[in-house]
Amino acid sequence: MLLLLMLLAQDDPISAIQAYRKQGGEHWLPPAAVVAEALAKARWRPNHSSPNDFLTVAAEHAGYQVNSFRRQIRIAEFLKAQVGDRYATLVQSAKAPLSALELLARLHAINPGKATPLLSEVLNGNLGFTKVKALYEQEAQQGQPMRSSLRSGAKQ
């Protein structure tokens, strides 16, 4: 199914999403990966007036609200950057947990050294949302500057 999806995506990303859904594909990652690639390579141009127009149509065909689909696309881009050559296999497996990956991407933004080794655990299902959330919150608290230093001279 993935081969068909990727071949269709080269010519018409919307048709690729439709074919994936028609064949029973339910996971968020394959449509998000197709759209991320289409946006990166401007494959939206032949049939859409803007990237936002393309994204709106793609989200509708994928079965998501536009803002939810944007989040999924950001995580697809994060995964591609992190796993490199294994990305196609990951998209094909369609098992990536969105909520835990969103938090892992946030953790990666503030501490890549802590987040990177956790990626395989999240993808394997050994590290879920609750544990990633606790790690993220712990790291975010440690990285927060003192509020008073941010308000220099402002009303308290």
Side-chain angles (χ1 to χ4, degrees), residues 20-84:
Y20 175 73
R21 291 297 190 218
K22 193 177 282 187
Q23 292 179 3
E26 296 180 0
H27 198 264
W28 65 270
L29 183 53
V34 164
V35 172
E37 186 76 10
L39 288 169
K41 295 187 176 180
R43 289 188 180 137
W44 54 268
R45 288 179 190 251
N47 300 313
H48 302 277
S49 60
S50 70
N52 285 331
D53 174 54
F54 167 68
L55 187 58
T56 301
V57 173
E60 181 180 318
H61 286 287
Y64 300 107
Q65 296 293 319
V66 174
N67 287 338
S68 296
F69 202 46
R70 283 182 205 278
R71 290 177 27 228
Q72 294 168 0
I73 292 165
R74 277 194 297 272
I75 299 306
E77 292 167 341
F78 168 75
L79 286 172
K80 186 173 185 177
Q82 296 305 305
V83 301

Side-chain angles (χ1 to χ4, degrees), residues 71 75 78 97-111 115 118 122 128-137 139-140:
R71 290 177 27 228
I75 299 306
F78 168 75
L98 180 63
S99 58
L101 285 169
E102 282 186 297
L103 283 173
L104 189 66
R106 291 179 189 171
L107 177 60
H108 188 271
I110 57 176
N111 189 340
L118 301 175
V122 171
F129 175 81
T130 304
K131 290 181 183 176
V132 176
K133 182 180 178 189
L135 291 168
Y136 170 73
E137 288 174 347
E139 196 66 30

